[in-house]
Amino acid sequence: MTRQGALRYLAGLVATAVACLLGAWLGAWLGKFHGNLSPLWPASGIAFAILLLGGVRYWPAVAAAAVYFNQTQGIPGVAAALLGLGTTMSF
């Protein structure tokens, strides 16, 4: 892989993680209006579309975003990691 290709891939990973995080935060915000349960989860749709269009090589960004989001919600590290892994594996 060339240096330019590696930088493009890294930028794709960062963009994927940011998009998934924004979708997760939007879903959590929507959950506040429905008693802590969101009627939709935009992060899943975003992650699915990225993995479908960009390929499975973007799975590390999806997993990292899921783990980070779970940790920001007060879930302990090991549980957040397992939830992130489960979220990623569901695709």
Side-chain angles (χ1 to χ4, degrees):
M1 181 181 293
T2 65
R3 181 182 173 113
Q4 185 179 15
L7 288 175
R8 182 176 292 158
Y9 174 61
L10 181 61
L13 287 174
V14 171
T16 297
V18 168
C20 288
L21 275 174
L22 290 175
W25 284 325
L26 176 63
W29 179 76
L30 289 172
K32 291 180 182 181
F33 301 110
H34 296 280
N36 202 25
L37 181 64
S38 180
L40 56 106
W41 196 250
S44 292
I46 292 168
F48 182 69
I50 289 171
L51 293 175
L52 189 64
L53 297 173
V56 294
R57 64 188 185 139
Y58 290 106
W59 76 264
V62 173
V67 170
Y68 180 75
F69 175 76
N70 288 328
Q71 286 182 331
T72 63
Q73 301 303 304
I75 298 173
V78 173
L82 290 173
L83 282 169
L85 179 65
T87 299
T88 306
M89 296 294 289
S90 68
F91 296 109

